Coordinates of all heavy atoms in Angstrom, one line a residue:
M379 N -12.3 1.1 -22.6 CA -12.1 -0.2 -22.1 C -12.2 -0.2 -20.7 O -11.7 0.7 -20.0 CB -10.8 -0.7 -22.6 CG -10.7 -1.6 -23.8 SD -9.2 -2.4 -23.9 CE -9.3 -3.0 -25.5
E380 N -12.5 -1.3 -20.1 CA -12.6 -1.6 -18.7 C -11.1 -1.7 -18.2 O -10.2 -2.4 -18.9 CB -13.3 -2.8 -18.3 CG -14.8 -2.7 -18.6 CD -15.4 -1.7 -17.7 OE1 -15.1 -1.7 -16.5 OE2 -16.3 -1.0 -18.2
P381 N -10.8 -1.3 -17.1 CA -9.3 -1.4 -16.6 C -9.0 -2.9 -16.3 O -7.8 -3.3 -16.6 CB -9.4 -0.6 -15.2 CG -10.5 0.2 -15.3 CD -11.5 -0.4 -16.2
I382 N -9.9 -3.7 -15.9 CA -9.6 -5.1 -15.7 C -9.2 -5.8 -17.0 O -8.3 -6.6 -17.0 CB -10.8 -5.9 -15.0 CG1 -10.3 -7.2 -14.5 CG2 -11.9 -6.0 -16.0 CD1 -9.5 -7.2 -13.4
I383 N -9.8 -5.4 -18.2 CA -9.5 -6.0 -19.4 C -8.0 -5.6 -19.8 O -7.2 -6.4 -20.3 CB -10.5 -5.6 -20.4 CG1 -11.9 -6.1 -20.2 CG2 -10.1 -6.0 -21.9 CD1 -12.9 -5.7 -21.1
V384 N -7.7 -4.3 -19.7 CA -6.4 -3.8 -20.0 C -5.3 -4.5 -19.2 O -4.3 -4.9 -19.7 CB -6.3 -2.3 -19.8 CG1 -4.9 -1.8 -20.0 CG2 -7.3 -1.6 -20.8
I385 N -5.6 -4.6 -17.8 CA -4.7 -5.2 -17.0 C -4.5 -6.8 -17.4 O -3.4 -7.3 -17.4 CB -5.1 -5.2 -15.5 CG1 -5.0 -3.7 -15.1 CG2 -4.3 -6.0 -14.6 CD1 -5.5 -3.4 -13.8
S386 N -5.6 -7.4 -17.7 CA -5.5 -8.8 -18.1 C -4.7 -9.0 -19.4 O -3.9 -9.9 -19.6 CB -6.9 -9.4 -18.4 OG -7.6 -9.3 -17.2
I387 N -4.9 -8.1 -20.3 CA -4.1 -8.2 -21.6 C -2.7 -8.0 -21.4 O -1.8 -8.7 -21.8 CB -4.7 -7.2 -22.7 CG1 -6.0 -7.6 -23.2 CG2 -3.7 -7.0 -23.9 CD1 -6.7 -6.6 -24.0
L388 N -2.3 -7.0 -20.6 CA -0.9 -6.7 -20.3 C -0.3 -7.9 -19.5 O 0.8 -8.3 -19.7 CB -0.8 -5.4 -19.5 CG -1.0 -4.1 -20.3 CD1 -0.9 -2.9 -19.4 CD2 0.0 -4.0 -21.4
G389 N -1.0 -8.5 -18.5 CA -0.5 -9.5 -17.8 C -0.3 -10.8 -18.7 O 0.6 -11.5 -18.6
G390 N -1.3 -11.1 -19.6 CA -1.1 -12.1 -20.6 C 0.2 -11.9 -21.4 O 0.9 -12.9 -21.7
L391 N 0.4 -10.7 -21.9 CA 1.5 -10.5 -22.7 C 2.8 -10.6 -21.9 O 3.9 -11.2 -22.4 CB 1.5 -9.0 -23.3 CG 0.6 -8.8 -24.4 CD1 0.4 -7.3 -24.8 CD2 0.8 -9.6 -25.6
I392 N 2.9 -10.3 -20.7 CA 4.1 -10.5 -19.8 C 4.3 -12.0 -19.6 O 5.4 -12.4 -19.6 CB 3.8 -9.7 -18.5 CG1 3.9 -8.2 -18.7 CG2 4.9 -10.1 -17.4 CD1 3.6 -7.4 -17.5
L393 N 3.2 -12.7 -19.3 CA 3.4 -14.2 -19.2 C 3.9 -14.8 -20.5 O 4.8 -15.7 -20.4 CB 2.1 -14.7 -18.8 CG 1.7 -14.5 -17.3 CD1 0.3 -15.2 -17.0 CD2 2.8 -15.2 -16.4
I394 N 3.4 -14.3 -21.6 CA 3.9 -15.0 -22.9 C 5.4 -14.6 -23.0 O 6.2 -15.5 -23.5 CB 3.1 -14.4 -24.1 CG1 1.7 -15.1 -24.0 CG2 3.8 -14.7 -25.4 CD1 0.7 -14.4 -25.1
L395 N 5.8 -13.4 -22.7 CA 7.2 -13.1 -22.9 C 8.1 -13.7 -21.9 O 9.3 -14.1 -22.2 CB 7.4 -11.5 -22.7 CG 7.1 -10.7 -24.0 CD1 7.2 -9.2 -23.6 CD2 8.0 -11.1 -25.1
L396 N 7.5 -14.0 -20.6 CA 8.3 -14.8 -19.7 C 8.6 -16.2 -20.1 O 9.6 -16.7 -19.9 CB 7.6 -14.7 -18.3 CG 7.7 -13.4 -17.5 CD1 6.8 -13.5 -16.2 CD2 9.2 -13.2 -17.2
F397 N 7.6 -16.8 -20.8 CA 7.7 -18.2 -21.1 C 8.5 -18.4 -22.4 O 9.3 -19.3 -22.5 CB 6.3 -18.9 -21.2 CG 5.8 -19.2 -19.8 CD1 4.5 -18.7 -19.5 CD2 6.4 -19.9 -18.8 CE1 4.0 -18.9 -18.3 CE2 5.9 -20.2 -17.7 CZ 4.7 -19.7 -17.3
S398 N 8.3 -17.5 -23.3 CA 8.9 -17.7 -24.7 C 10.2 -16.9 -24.7 O 11.1 -17.2 -25.7 CB 8.0 -17.2 -25.7 OG 7.8 -15.8 -25.7
G399 N 10.5 -15.9 -23.8 CA 11.7 -15.1 -24.0 C 11.4 -13.9 -25.0 O 10.4 -14.0 -25.7
A400 N 12.3 -13.0 -25.0 CA 12.1 -11.9 -25.9 C 12.5 -12.3 -27.3 O 13.5 -12.9 -27.5 CB 12.9 -10.7 -25.5
P401 N 11.6 -12.0 -28.3 CA 11.8 -12.5 -29.6 C 13.0 -11.8 -30.4 O 13.6 -12.3 -31.3 CB 10.5 -12.3 -30.4 CG 9.9 -11.2 -29.7 CD 10.4 -11.4 -28.2
F402 N 13.4 -10.6 -30.0 CA 14.4 -9.9 -30.6 C 15.2 -9.1 -29.6 O 14.7 -8.8 -28.5 CB 13.9 -9.1 -31.7 CG 12.7 -8.2 -31.4 CD1 13.0 -6.8 -31.0 CD2 11.5 -8.6 -31.4 CE1 11.9 -6.0 -30.7 CE2 10.4 -7.8 -31.1 CZ 10.7 -6.5 -30.7
K403 N 16.4 -8.8 -29.9 CA 17.2 -8.1 -28.9 C 16.8 -6.8 -28.3 O 17.0 -6.5 -27.2 CB 18.6 -7.9 -29.5 CG 19.7 -8.8 -28.8 CD 21.1 -8.4 -29.4 CE 22.1 -9.4 -29.0 NZ 22.1 -10.1 -27.8
P404 N 16.2 -5.9 -29.2 CA 15.7 -4.6 -28.6 C 14.7 -4.8 -27.5 O 14.7 -4.1 -26.5 CB 15.1 -3.9 -29.8 CG 15.8 -4.4 -31.0 CD 16.1 -5.8 -30.6
A405 N 13.8 -5.7 -27.6 CA 12.8 -6.0 -26.6 C 13.4 -6.4 -25.3 O 13.1 -6.1 -24.2 CB 11.8 -7.0 -27.1
R406 N 14.5 -7.3 -25.4 CA 15.3 -7.8 -24.2 C 15.9 -6.6 -23.6 O 16.0 -6.5 -22.4 CB 16.2 -8.8 -24.7 CG 16.9 -9.5 -23.5 CD 17.8 -10.7 -23.9 NE 16.9 -11.8 -24.6 CZ 17.2 -12.4 -25.5 NH1 18.4 -12.3 -26.2 NH2 16.4 -13.3 -26.1
F407 N 16.5 -5.8 -24.4 CA 17.2 -4.6 -23.8 C 16.3 -3.7 -23.2 O 16.6 -3.1 -22.1 CB 18.0 -3.8 -25.0 CG 18.7 -2.6 -24.5 CD1 19.8 -2.7 -23.7 CD2 18.2 -1.3 -24.8 CE1 20.4 -1.5 -23.3 CE2 18.8 -0.2 -24.4 CZ 20.0 -0.2 -23.7
I408 N 15.2 -3.4 -23.7 CA 14.1 -2.5 -23.1 C 13.7 -3.1 -21.8 O 13.4 -2.4 -20.8 CB 13.1 -2.2 -24.2 CG1 13.5 -1.3 -25.2 CG2 11.9 -1.5 -23.5 CD1 12.6 -1.1 -26.4
G409 N 13.4 -4.4 -21.8 CA 12.9 -5.0 -20.6 C 14.0 -4.9 -19.4 O 13.5 -4.7 -18.3
Q410 N 15.2 -5.1 -19.8 CA 16.3 -5.0 -18.7 C 16.4 -3.6 -18.2 O 16.6 -3.4 -17.0 CB 17.6 -5.5 -19.3 CG 17.7 -7.0 -19.5 CD 18.9 -7.4 -20.1 OE1 19.7 -6.7 -20.6 NE2 19.2 -8.8 -20.2
A411 N 16.2 -2.6 -19.2 CA 16.3 -1.2 -18.7 C 15.2 -0.9 -17.8 O 15.4 -0.2 -16.8 CB 16.3 -0.3 -20.0
V412 N 14.0 -1.4 -18.1 CA 12.8 -1.1 -17.3 C 12.9 -1.7 -15.9 O 12.7 -1.1 -14.9 CB 11.5 -1.6 -17.9 CG1 10.3 -1.6 -17.0 CG2 11.2 -0.7 -19.2
V413 N 13.5 -2.9 -15.9 CA 13.7 -3.6 -14.6 C 14.7 -2.8 -13.8 O 14.6 -2.6 -12.5 CB 14.2 -5.0 -14.8 CG1 14.7 -5.6 -13.5 CG2 13.0 -5.8 -15.4
K414 N 15.8 -2.3 -14.4 CA 16.8 -1.6 -13.6 C 16.2 -0.3 -13.1 O 16.6 0.3 -12.1 CB 18.0 -1.3 -14.5 CG 18.9 -2.6 -14.7 CD 20.1 -2.3 -15.5 CE 20.9 -3.6 -15.6 NZ 22.3 -3.5 -15.3
L415 N 15.4 0.4 -13.9 CA 14.7 1.7 -13.4 C 13.9 1.4 -12.2 O 13.8 2.2 -11.3 CB 14.0 2.2 -14.6 CG 14.7 3.0 -15.7 CD1 13.8 3.4 -16.8 CD2 15.4 4.1 -15.1
L416 N 13.1 0.3 -12.3 CA 12.3 -0.1 -11.1 C 13.1 -0.4 -9.9 O 12.8 0.0 -8.8 CB 11.4 -1.2 -11.5 CG 10.3 -0.9 -12.5 CD1 9.5 -2.2 -12.8 CD2 9.3 0.1 -12.0
I417 N 14.2 -1.1 -10.1 CA 15.1 -1.4 -8.9 C 15.7 -0.1 -8.4 O 15.8 0.1 -7.1 CB 16.2 -2.4 -9.4 CG1 15.6 -3.7 -9.6 CG2 17.3 -2.4 -8.3 CD1 16.5 -4.8 -10.2
G418 N 16.1 0.8 -9.3 CA 16.6 2.2 -8.8 C 15.6 2.9 -8.0 O 15.9 3.5 -7.0
A419 N 14.2 2.9 -8.5 CA 13.2 3.6 -7.7 C 13.1 2.9 -6.4 O 12.8 3.6 -5.4 CB 11.9 3.5 -8.6
L420 N 13.1 1.6 -6.3 CA 13.0 0.9 -5.1 C 14.1 1.2 -4.1 O 14.0 1.4 -2.9 CB 12.9 -0.6 -5.2 CG 12.5 -1.5 -4.1 CD1 11.1 -1.1 -3.7 CD2 12.7 -2.9 -4.5
L421 N 15.3 1.3 -4.7 CA 16.5 1.7 -3.9 C 16.4 3.1 -3.3 O 16.7 3.4 -2.1 CB 17.8 1.6 -4.6 CG 18.3 0.2 -4.8 CD1 19.5 0.2 -5.9 CD2 18.7 -0.5 -3.7
L422 N 15.9 4.0 -4.1 CA 15.7 5.4 -3.7 C 14.6 5.5 -2.6 O 14.7 6.3 -1.6 CB 15.3 6.2 -4.8 CG 16.4 6.7 -5.8 CD1 15.9 7.3 -7.0 CD2 17.4 7.5 -5.1
F423 N 13.5 4.6 -2.7 CA 12.5 4.6 -1.7 C 13.1 4.2 -0.4 O 12.8 4.8 0.7 CB 11.4 3.6 -2.1 CG 10.3 3.4 -1.0 CD1 9.4 4.4 -0.8 CD2 10.3 2.2 -0.4 CE1 8.5 4.2 0.2 CE2 9.4 2.0 0.7 CZ 8.4 3.1 1.0
F424 N 14.0 3.1 -0.4 CA 14.5 2.6 0.9 C 15.5 3.7 1.5 O 15.6 3.8 2.6 CB 15.2 1.2 0.7 CG 14.2 0.1 0.5 CD1 14.4 -0.8 -0.5 CD2 13.2 0.1 1.4 CE1 13.5 -1.8 -0.6 CE2 12.2 -1.0 1.3 CZ 12.4 -1.9 0.3
L425 N 16.2 4.4 0.6 CA 17.1 5.4 1.0 C 16.3 6.5 1.7 O 16.8 7.0 2.7 CB 18.0 5.9 -0.1 CG 18.8 7.2 0.2 CD1 20.1 6.7 1.0 CD2 19.3 7.8 -1.0
N426 N 15.2 6.9 1.1 CA 14.4 8.0 1.7 C 13.8 7.6 3.0 O 13.7 8.4 3.9 CB 13.4 8.4 0.7 CG 13.9 9.2 -0.5 OD1 14.9 9.8 -0.4 ND2 13.2 9.3 -1.6
T427 N 13.4 6.3 3.2 CA 12.8 5.9 4.4 C 13.9 5.8 5.5 O 13.7 6.3 6.6 CB 12.1 4.6 4.3 OG1 13.0 3.6 3.8 CG2 10.9 4.8 3.4
A428 N 15.1 5.3 5.2 CA 16.2 5.1 6.1 C 16.9 6.5 6.3 O 17.3 6.8 7.5 CB 17.2 4.1 5.7
G429 N 17.0 7.3 5.3 CA 17.7 8.5 5.4 C 16.9 9.7 6.0 O 17.4 10.8 6.2
N430 N 15.6 9.5 6.3 CA 14.7 10.5 6.8 C 15.3 11.0 8.2 O 15.2 12.2 8.5 CB 13.4 9.9 7.0 CG 12.3 11.0 7.3 OD1 12.6 12.2 7.1 ND2 11.2 10.6 7.9
S431 N 15.8 10.2 9.0 CA 16.4 10.6 10.3 C 17.7 11.4 10.2 O 18.1 12.1 11.1 CB 16.5 9.4 11.3 OG 17.5 8.5 10.7
F432 N 18.3 11.2 9.0 CA 19.6 11.9 8.8 C 19.4 13.2 7.9 O 20.4 13.9 7.6 CB 20.7 11.0 8.2 CG 20.9 9.8 8.9 CD1 20.5 8.6 8.5 CD2 21.6 9.9 10.1 CE1 20.8 7.4 9.2 CE2 21.9 8.8 10.8 CZ 21.5 7.5 10.4
G433 N 18.2 13.5 7.5 CA 17.9 14.6 6.7 C 18.3 14.4 5.3 O 18.6 15.4 4.5
I434 N 18.3 13.2 4.8 CA 18.6 12.9 3.4 C 17.2 12.5 2.7 O 16.5 11.7 3.1 CB 19.5 11.8 3.3 CG1 20.9 12.1 3.9 CG2 19.7 11.3 1.7 CD1 21.8 11.0 3.9
H435 N 17.0 13.3 1.6 CA 15.7 13.1 0.8 C 16.2 13.3 -0.6 O 16.4 14.3 -1.1 CB 14.6 13.9 1.2 CG 13.5 13.7 0.2 ND1 12.6 12.6 0.4 CD2 12.9 14.5 -0.7 CE1 11.7 12.7 -0.7 NE2 11.9 13.9 -1.3
V436 N 16.3 12.2 -1.4 CA 16.5 12.2 -2.8 C 15.2 12.0 -3.5 O 14.6 11.0 -3.4 CB 17.6 11.2 -3.2 CG1 17.9 11.3 -4.7 CG2 18.9 11.3 -2.4
P437 N 14.8 13.0 -4.4 CA 13.5 12.8 -5.1 C 13.6 11.6 -6.1 O 14.6 11.3 -6.6 CB 13.3 14.1 -5.9 CG 14.7 14.8 -5.9 CD 15.5 14.2 -4.7
I438 N 12.5 10.9 -6.2 CA 12.3 9.8 -7.1 C 11.7 10.2 -8.4 O 10.5 10.6 -8.4 CB 11.4 8.7 -6.4 CG1 12.0 8.3 -5.1 CG2 11.3 7.5 -7.3 CD1 11.2 7.3 -4.3
N439 N 12.6 10.3 -9.3 CA 12.2 10.6 -10.7 C 12.9 9.8 -11.7 O 13.8 9.0 -11.3 CB 12.3 12.2 -11.0 CG 13.7 12.7 -10.8 OD1 14.6 12.0 -11.0 ND2 13.8 13.9 -10.3
F440 N 12.7 10.1 -13.0 CA 13.4 9.2 -14.0 C 14.9 9.3 -14.0 O 15.6 8.3 -14.0 CB 12.9 9.6 -15.4 CG 13.5 8.8 -16.5 CD1 13.0 7.5 -16.8 CD2 14.5 9.3 -17.3 CE1 13.5 6.7 -17.8 CE2 15.0 8.5 -18.3 CZ 14.5 7.3 -18.5
A441 N 15.5 10.5 -13.8 CA 16.9 10.6 -13.8 C 17.6 10.0 -12.6 O 18.5 9.3 -12.7 CB 17.3 12.2 -13.8
T442 N 17.0 10.2 -11.5 CA 17.6 9.6 -10.2 C 17.5 8.2 -10.2 O 18.3 7.4 -9.8 CB 17.0 10.3 -9.0 OG1 15.6 10.0 -8.9 CG2 17.4 11.7 -8.8
S443 N 16.3 7.6 -10.7 CA 16.1 6.2 -10.8 C 17.0 5.6 -11.8 O 17.6 4.5 -11.5 CB 14.7 5.9 -11.2 OG 13.7 6.3 -10.2
A444 N 17.3 6.3 -12.9 CA 18.3 5.8 -13.9 C 19.6 5.7 -13.3 O 20.4 4.7 -13.4 CB 18.3 6.6 -15.1
V445 N 20.1 6.7 -12.5 CA 21.5 6.7 -12.0 C 21.6 5.6 -10.9 O 22.6 4.8 -10.9 CB 21.7 8.1 -11.3 CG1 23.0 8.0 -10.4 CG2 21.9 9.1 -12.4
S446 N 20.5 5.5 -10.0 CA 20.7 4.5 -8.9 C 20.5 3.1 -9.5 O 21.0 2.1 -9.0 CB 19.8 4.7 -7.8 OG 18.4 4.7 -8.3
G447 N 19.7 2.9 -10.6 CA 19.4 1.6 -11.1 C 20.6 1.1 -11.9 O 20.9 -0.1 -11.9
F448 N 21.2 1.9 -12.8 CA 22.2 1.5 -13.7 C 23.6 1.5 -13.0 O 24.4 0.6 -13.2 CB 22.3 2.3 -14.9 CG 21.3 2.0 -15.9 CD1 20.2 3.0 -16.0 CD2 21.2 0.9 -16.6 CE1 19.2 2.7 -16.9 CE2 20.2 0.7 -17.5 CZ 19.1 1.6 -17.7
L449 N 23.8 2.3 -12.0 CA 25.1 2.3 -11.3 C 25.0 1.6 -10.0 O 26.1 1.3 -9.4 CB 25.6 3.8 -11.0 CG 25.8 4.6 -12.2 CD1 26.1 6.0 -11.7 CD2 26.9 4.0 -13.0
G450 N 23.9 1.3 -9.4 CA 23.8 0.4 -8.2 C 24.0 1.2 -6.9 O 23.7 2.4 -6.9
I451 N 24.6 0.6 -6.0 CA 24.9 1.2 -4.8 C 25.8 2.4 -4.9 O 25.6 3.4 -4.2 CB 25.5 0.1 -3.8 CG1 24.5 -1.0 -3.5 CG2 25.8 0.7 -2.4 CD1 23.1 -0.6 -2.9
P452 N 26.9 2.4 -5.7 CA 27.7 3.5 -5.8 C 26.9 4.8 -6.4 O 27.2 5.8 -5.9 CB 28.8 3.1 -6.8 CG 29.0 1.6 -6.6 CD 27.5 1.2 -6.3
G453 N 26.0 4.6 -7.2 CA 25.2 5.6 -7.7 C 24.2 6.1 -6.6 O 24.0 7.3 -6.6
L454 N 23.8 5.3 -5.9 CA 22.9 5.7 -4.7 C 23.6 6.5 -3.8 O 23.1 7.5 -3.2 CB 22.3 4.5 -4.1 CG 21.1 4.6 -3.1 CD1 19.9 5.2 -3.9 CD2 20.8 3.3 -2.4
V455 N 24.9 6.1 -3.4 CA 25.8 6.8 -2.5 C 26.1 8.2 -3.1 O 26.0 9.2 -2.4 CB 27.0 6.0 -2.2 CG1 27.9 6.9 -1.3 CG2 26.6 4.8 -1.3
A456 N 26.4 8.3 -4.4 CA 26.7 9.5 -5.0 C 25.5 10.5 -5.0 O 25.7 11.7 -4.8 CB 27.1 9.3 -6.5
L457 N 24.3 9.9 -5.2 CA 23.1 10.8 -5.2 C 22.8 11.3 -3.8 O 22.6 12.5 -3.7 CB 21.9 10.1 -5.6 CG 21.7 9.8 -7.1 CD1 20.6 8.8 -7.4 CD2 21.5 11.1 -7.9
A458 N 23.1 10.5 -2.8 CA 22.9 10.9 -1.4 C 24.0 12.0 -1.0 O 23.7 12.9 -0.4 CB 23.0 9.7 -0.4
A459 N 25.2 11.8 -1.6 CA 26.2 12.8 -1.2 C 26.0 14.1 -1.9 O 26.2 15.2 -1.3 CB 27.6 12.2 -1.7
I460 N 25.5 14.0 -3.1 CA 25.2 15.3 -3.8 C 24.1 16.1 -3.1 O 24.1 17.2 -2.9 CB 24.8 15.0 -5.3 CG1 26.0 14.5 -6.1 CG2 24.1 16.2 -5.9 CD1 25.7 14.0 -7.5
Q461 N 23.1 15.3 -2.7 CA 21.9 15.9 -1.9 C 22.4 16.5 -0.6 O 22.0 17.5 -0.3 CB 20.8 14.8 -1.7 CG 19.6 15.3 -1.0 CD 18.9 16.3 -1.8 OE1 18.9 16.3 -3.0 NE2 18.2 17.3 -1.1
K462 N 23.2 15.8 0.1 CA 23.6 16.2 1.5 C 24.6 17.4 1.4 O 24.4 18.4 2.1 CB 24.3 15.0 2.1 CG 24.6 15.3 3.6 CD 23.3 15.5 4.4 CE 23.7 15.6 5.9 NZ 22.6 15.9 6.7
F463 N 25.6 17.4 0.4 CA 26.7 18.3 0.5 C 26.7 19.4 -0.6 O 27.1 20.5 -0.3 CB 28.1 17.6 0.4 CG 28.3 16.6 1.5 CD1 28.4 15.3 1.3 CD2 28.4 17.1 2.8 CE1 28.7 14.4 2.3 CE2 28.7 16.2 3.9 CZ 28.8 14.9 3.6
I464 N 26.0 19.1 -1.7 CA 26.0 20.2 -2.7 C 24.8 20.9 -2.8 O 24.7 22.1 -2.9 CB 26.4 19.5 -4.1 CG1 27.7 19.0 -4.1 CG2 26.2 20.5 -5.3 CD1 28.1 18.2 -5.3
I465 N 23.6 20.2 -2.7 CA 22.3 20.9 -3.0 C 21.8 21.4 -1.6 O 21.7 20.9 -0.6 CB 21.3 20.0 -3.6 CG1 21.8 19.7 -5.0 CG2 19.9 20.6 -3.6 CD1 20.9 18.7 -5.8

């Protein structure tokens, strides 16, 4: 399949879900979890760019994104402290 067709189909499905809402609870839960993982990855990206001058680099992977996404700022601080003092 052409990439544009795949992207169009996925975009259409996302729009349908945005307008109609998730039809059942597991889909809503999975959607919220994916959003939190993306937010966690974004927080880690900003930490890595700001912490570069302080020698802090936390790798962006599933585990660190989950910790920073689900725990928020305290999780991000904990990851930075673990990176700086323990590892």
Side-chain angles (χ1 to χ4, degrees):
M379 260 198 196
E380 294 289 324
I382 192 74
I383 295 172
V384 174
I385 293 172
S386 299
I387 291 171
L388 289 175
L391 288 173
I392 289 171
L393 284 174
I394 290 171
L395 280 175
L396 282 175
F397 287 122
S398 67
F402 50 96
K403 245 185 197 323
R406 186 173 298 141
F407 177 72
I408 291 170
Q410 289 175 350
V412 168
V413 167
K414 287 186 183 225
L415 284 173
L416 291 175
I417 290 172
L420 189 65
L421 286 173
L422 285 170
F423 173 75
F424 287 132
L425 173 72
N426 286 337
T427 55
N430 192 18
S431 60
F432 301 111
I434 297 173
H435 174 75
V436 179
I438 301 174
N439 55 32
F440 182 77
T442 57
S443 293
V445 168
S446 65
F448 287 105
L449 296 179
I451 301 297
L454 191 66
V455 171
L457 285 172
I460 289 169
Q461 180 67 29
K462 186 71 174 170
F463 298 115
I464 295 177
I465 297 179

